[in-house]
Amino acid sequence: MEKSFKSIGVAEQLVRTATGIFLRTQTEELEISVLEDDLVRVTMRKSHPHAMTLPDSEIPSCAVVKRDLPGVNVKITESPLDINIITGKIRVHISRSPVRIGFYQLNGIPVCLDTAASGMGWMKDGPACFKTIPAGTRFYGFGERTGYLDKRGTTMTLWNTDTILHTPSTDSLYVSIPFFIGFCGNYAYGIFLDNPGKCVFDMGKTSSAEYMFQGTGEILDYYFFAGPEIKDVVEQYAKLTGTMELPPLWALGYHQSRYSYSPQDDVEDVARSFREHDIPCDAIYLDIHYMDGCRVFTFDQEAFPDPSGLIARLKSMGFKVVTIIDPGVKIDPKYKIYKDGLKKNCFVKLPDGNLFEAEVWPGQVVFPDFFKEKTRTWWAENHKILFDAGVQGIWNDMNEPSCFSTESGTMDLEALHGELGAEVSHAKIHNAYANYMNEATREAFRTLLPGTRPFMVTRAGYSGIQRLACVWTGDNASWWEHLLMSVPMCLNMGLSGLPFTGADVGGFLYDTDPELLTRWTQLGTFIPFFRNHSAVDTCRQEPYMLDEPYKSICRDFIKLRYRLIPYIYTMMHKAATSGTPIMRPLVFEFPEDPKTHGIFDQFMLGPDIMVAPVYQPETQCRTVYLPDGEWFDLYTGNVITGNRYILAESPLDRIPVFLKEGAVIPMGREMSFVGELQQVLKTIDICPSRNARSGRFSLYVDDGETEQYRAGSSP
Ligand code: MIG
């Protein structure tokens, strides 16, 4: 494969550790530790003559939350040729010469094996590992990526990037999740390469019989998840890297954004129009024009002379305001935030001691070094001006971080991050910049608005970002192709530990059109994060701007969304407790049916609702695959027997939606915003099962806004 690759050497020394083994070759050290019966960590690095256990990686992982493990009982056997580590669920086999790792089921079935020729070792740019691909394997996950569901046969670079206009062959986007699920039809396993620098995956492109993953730096640090179901892998990953926290319930409503609503009368106008046209809406977003010359933590005095008054009036109509925040701080000797940050030494420096500067929206800026605790605290305190004005959500943009003036589009790779004396280069932790920025925002909510649930949206992130914020998929375009692409993108994000996601409904760049906006609103109804957003200079795309019949159709679907909130919120609670995605590919629910394995243009919302969006203009019907069982048409109640493709009617006023037999769907009330009316379950849709499969649904309810749910109290 890759000529410059150098394999790990031969095992020379072996030590048993509390959780596994430590092995030394002439040039490397390798540690294999069993964290759970189904979770194994593999760490390789260049030798340090005296260390007997490997220290944690140079930079503490911002992805992994599971550090104190109770310890698992493992059985270890050794022979001159090999070592076996046996857990309650799997066997890890390590051959000594050459050193190769294989993960097996206890019945002997191989699950994930190093290639005989290469295994682990070193590429020019960093540590790497080669593993075999059994025939028929598919690869899901990898977070926010273009393309379809299965990533087999592709190469991917994971490097957070502010892509100007993505297309199906665009490589890096804003979020990097170096995690995937391998699924061969019978069982699934997962691999997470914990490396916030650049990661490269070649999933059988160079050679169809093997895949390769490579990180940056001097340490290979990966986790193996034993499955055996896709569901299990996702939950095992969530156990390691954490789950989302419940957002305020209003986060599940419909959100309206625009780059930008300004001046403030425009914002009020939008809010009033929603109410006048009887279209529900919970949140309005303020994009960069609310600020004074894009200076973070300011309001433009002319366009927004009275933010508190504005936000109070919006609040009385049931709207919450979310403001954008960019990390770059304008270099302006008269600007308080800049002066403060300088004085407190909060900005990123270059190795020569100068500040790293670049151009972004405000002009020349410097960047907070969120890897320092004091920077995060300082950044958090600065939110006071927004929270005092009544802002309830923070939208972190440009945090790849994006720079307009550098060749790389981001920070200097040599720029330094972290506490004094322990700095690391930007190259090694680039993808984690957004995580630490969001940590700072989280701290802002915790300290300035204690007791309330944070609402945060982020554009960039690395594994673990799900604990902090909802992710939207960045700058899509008002293209049918992007409506479709948003489905596998969000599905793979869901499989990668990010359940709370969504794409800009209607499309961000370019002009939308009434039909596209209508079809996208229909899809958004069933997507966890339901926000319409559009770029400056494009046509306005608030649903009330539409002519009939488009406007009424959008209204009906947004109302349907509100009726589904009790169901979706229950799914969100499940995601918050076990990491289960809210929006799921068919293969997640029906792995035993091979026909589902590649389907990316329909999905399940929770276990019971099958959604088949329309993604082409002038479509009167579309094919839908219904797995085995009986399916209930959402609109007519007609029962259709599955295990076949059907041609489903999809006139403009509906997209195919089917409820699974045995489903019990709680339907809430229509309302203009969450909390307008007390929630009662108006109807419960029950889909009887002729096969006597029993139906059951446990509804999760809490107060929807405070942190009391953590104590387990419900109203
Ligand atoms: O370079 O703040 O993805 O949602 O409207 C553009 C303006 C900067 C990019 C975000 C988009 C937002 C826009 N921002």
Side-chain angles (χ1 to χ4, degrees):
M1 203 167 194
E2 178 63 44
K3 297 273 164 14
S4 66
F5 180 74
K6 186 182 164 297
S7 264
I8 186 171
V10 167
E12 294 189 341
Q13 193 191 359
L14 174 75
V15 181
R16 292 196 187 192
T17 64
T19 52
I21 60 158
F22 176 85
L23 184 155
R24 204 190 282 283
T25 70
Q26 203 167 28
T27 44
E28 288 98 4
E29 296 166 350
L30 174 71
E31 188 166 358
I32 301 179
S33 33
V34 178
L35 308 186
E36 297 264 0
D37 283 330
D38 48 19
L39 174 53
V40 178
R41 180 182 184 185
V42 176
T43 318
M44 173 190 73
R45 69 170 206 189
K46 297 260 164 74
S47 288
H48 280 229
H50 302 299
M52 283 316 278
T53 55
L54 296 175
D56 249 356
S57 53
E58 308 144 298
I59 318 131
S61 171
C62 69
V64 172
V65 286
K66 194 177 181 119
R67 290 180 198 284
D68 303 314
L69 290 146
V72 186
N73 274 332
V74 295
K75 199 176 129 208
I76 299 177
T77 62
E78 289 174 46
S79 84
L81 291 178
D82 58 11
I83 307 137
N84 280 291
I85 307 174
I86 298 153
T87 82
K89 293 201 178 135
I90 53 164
R91 178 168 59 92
V92 189
H93 174 259
I94 303 108
S95 67
R96 296 184 192 242
S97 178
V99 172
R100 296 287 182 269
I101 301 178
F103 298 93
Y104 292 81
Q105 291 181 359
L106 289 179
N107 58 15
I109 294 180
V111 175
C112 170
L113 309 180
D114 283 357
T115 60
S118 307
M120 290 174 288
W122 308 92
M123 301 279 245
K124 191 172 105 287
D125 296 328
C129 182
F130 289 77
K131 291 183 185 286
T132 62
I133 308 182
T137 304
R138 292 175 184 270
F139 296 113
Y140 307 116
F142 295 107
E144 185 189 54
R145 305 285 315 171
T146 62
Y148 301 129
L149 198 62
D150 179 1
K151 301 303 185 201
R152 182 165 180 180
T154 68
T155 55
M156 288 165 272
T157 311
L158 273 62
W159 179 255
N160 292 353
T161 305
D162 178 6
T163 306
I164 304 303
L165 186 61
H166 58 272
T167 64
S169 46
T170 299
D171 187 358
S172 306
L173 291 179
Y174 316 91
V175 173
S176 296
I177 312 286
F179 163 75
F180 69 87
I181 301 166
F183 178 61
C184 70
N186 297 320
Y187 52 81
Y189 70 90
I191 298 270
F192 169 47
L193 173 61
D194 191 7
N195 191 314
K198 185 177 283 181
C199 296
V200 177
F201 288 77
D202 178 337
M203 305 310 287
K205 182 180 166 187
T206 303
S207 156
S208 63
E210 60 187 52
Y211 64 86
M212 185 278 309
F213 52 89
Q214 185 215 309
T216 296
E218 288 79 43
I219 299 181
L220 179 75
D221 188 5
Y222 79 85
Y223 295 83
F224 170 83
F225 309 92
E229 303 262 353
I230 294 175
K231 276 191 177 94
D232 302 325
V233 179
V234 176
E235 286 180 12
Q236 287 152 6
Y237 175 77
K239 236 179 174 180
L240 183 76
T241 62
T243 53
M244 68 177 289
E245 294 195 357
L246 280 178
L249 191 59
W250 61 262
L252 286 190
Y254 172 81
H255 296 203
Q256 185 64 49
S257 184
R258 169 96 181 153
Y259 170 21
S260 304
Y261 292 128
S262 175
Q264 69 173 48
D265 292 347
D266 188 20
V267 187
E268 235 176 306
D269 213 51
V270 171
R272 231 178 292 110
S273 302
F274 271 97
R275 296 298 175 247
E276 274 166 26
H277 292 264
D278 186 28
I279 299 179
C281 182
D282 258 280
I284 297 194
Y285 286 60
L286 301 185
D287 207 324
I288 50 176
H289 291 96
Y290 79 86
M291 295 182 258
D292 171 17
C294 295
R295 290 168 182 82
V296 274
F297 307 118
T298 65
F299 282 99
D300 184 312
Q301 297 299 314
E302 251 170 62
F304 287 80
D306 177 23
S308 308
L310 168 72
I311 295 173
R313 288 191 295 281
L314 294 175
K315 210 172 198 164
S316 71
M317 288 188 271
F319 288 94
K320 297 88 197 162
V321 169
V322 180
T323 48
I324 201 167
I325 289 289
D326 289 359
V329 172
K330 186 175 175 71
I331 299 177
D332 168 1
K334 289 198 223 100
Y335 169 36
K336 178 169 178 304
I337 304 291
Y338 171 70
K339 286 191 294 186
D340 266 17
L342 268 189
K343 202 160 66 204
K344 298 198 161 123
N345 195 16
C346 289
F347 298 124
V348 174
K349 288 188 177 157
L350 293 165
D352 65 7
N354 288 321
L355 293 175
F356 169 74
E357 294 179 14
E359 196 194 318
V360 200
W361 292 117
Q364 281 297 109
V365 302
V366 286
F367 288 88
D369 184 12
F370 294 111
F371 294 87
K372 287 180 180 166
E373 197 180 329
K374 76 166 179 207
T375 305
R376 293 196 296 274
T377 302
W378 166 72
W379 192 257
E381 287 161 0
N382 289 328
H383 286 71
K384 194 166 185 310
I385 179 180
L386 301 172
F387 291 157
D388 283 352
V391 167
Q392 283 179 270
I394 298 293
W395 170 23
N396 285 327
D397 189 23
M398 307 295 281
N399 49 358
E400 292 73 28
S402 172
C403 303
F404 297 160
S405 53
T406 61
E407 206 179 309
S408 64
T410 189
M411 228 171 242
D412 193 315
L413 298 184
E414 310 277 293
L416 294 172
H417 296 289
E419 310 295 345
L420 204 65
E423 294 98 336
V424 283
S425 68
H426 187 71
K428 286 189 176 169
I429 47 177
H430 170 79
N431 291 339
Y433 186 80
N435 292 42
Y436 284 93
M437 179 186 188
N438 281 287
E439 287 282 2
T441 313
R442 170 60 53 104
E443 190 176 326
F445 277 96
R446 290 271 177 265
T447 53
L448 300 172
L449 297 174
T452 62
R453 299 184 199 172
F455 178 68
M456 296 158 55
V457 187
T458 185
R459 191 169 73 175
Y462 173 70
S463 297
I465 194 67
Q466 72 271 14
R467 303 193 303 271
L468 299 163
C470 155
V471 175
W472 104 100
T473 62
D475 296 352
N476 61 6
S478 297
W479 295 335
W480 290 94
E481 289 79 357
H482 272 182
L483 182 161
L484 172 59
M485 197 196 281
S486 73
V487 177
M489 197 183 273
C490 289
L491 289 174
N492 270 329
M493 288 166 93
L495 292 176
S496 312
L498 304 175
F500 196 14
T501 61
D504 286 344
V505 167
F508 175 72
L509 300 164
Y510 308 124
D511 293 332
T512 198
D513 73 70
E515 188 185 355
L516 176 61
L517 178 56
T518 302
R519 290 309 199 180
W520 215 324
T521 305
Q522 290 170 328
L523 167 61
T525 299
F526 303 95
I527 299 277
F529 181 51
F530 186 15
R531 185 185 73 155
N532 172 317
H533 181 47
S534 56
V536 69
D537 292 333
T538 61
C539 71
R540 293 288 285 243
Q541 66 182 41
E542 297 78 18
Y544 59 78
M545 301 287 283
L546 293 168
D547 291 330
E548 293 298 351
Y550 304 102
K551 181 168 81 178
S552 292
I553 297 170
C554 289
R555 176 193 296 120
D556 288 349
F557 272 82
I558 296 173
K559 287 189 171 183
L560 171 62
R561 164 62 171 230
Y562 279 76
R563 300 197 61 206
L564 285 169
I565 285 180
Y567 175 84
I568 302 175
Y569 192 56
T570 299
M571 292 309 135
M572 197 162 255
H573 178 251
K574 174 97 176 112
T577 45
S578 44
T580 317
I582 298 167
M583 169 182 178
R584 310 166 183 176
L586 267 60
V587 64
F588 186 91
E589 290 292 327
F590 308 99
E592 64 292 340
D593 178 352
K595 289 209 268 317
T596 65
H597 297 178
I599 291 179
F600 57 84
D601 64 347
Q602 6 175 156
F603 63 92
M604 300 296 294
L605 177 63
D608 292 324
I609 304 182
M610 160 86 74
V611 182
V614 168
Y615 50 84
Q616 285 172 327
E618 313 246 6
T619 303
Q620 293 298 318
C621 55
R622 60 154 285 179
T623 54
V624 176
Y625 180 67
L626 295 176
D628 197 20
E630 303 204 309
W631 295 86
F632 291 67
D633 183 309
L634 175 76
Y635 310 95
T636 63
N638 288 346
V639 186
I640 301 170
T641 305
N643 194 21
R644 62 188 171 117
Y645 284 92
I646 62 160
L647 202 52
E649 297 286 315
S650 58
L652 189 64
D653 65 353
R654 70 176 65 161
I655 55 170
V657 177
F658 297 94
L659 309 180
K660 201 171 85 180
E661 71 175 294
V664 178
I665 314 274
M667 297 288 262
R669 295 170 87 172
E670 269 175 21
M671 47 186 95
S672 302
F673 56 90
V674 167
E676 184 197 25
L677 305 172
Q678 212 200 340
Q679 187 59 279
V680 290
L681 295 182
K682 274 280 263 271
T683 48
I684 299 181
D685 235 325
I686 297 182
C687 306
S689 169
R690 288 193 206 154
N691 297 328
R693 288 183 203 156
S694 62
R696 178 182 311 156
F697 190 86
S698 318
L699 181 69
Y700 174 77
V701 188
D702 62 22
D703 68 22
E705 55 184 60
T706 74
E707 299 271 300
Q708 282 178 21
Y709 73 94
R710 291 174 192 283
S713 62
S714 51

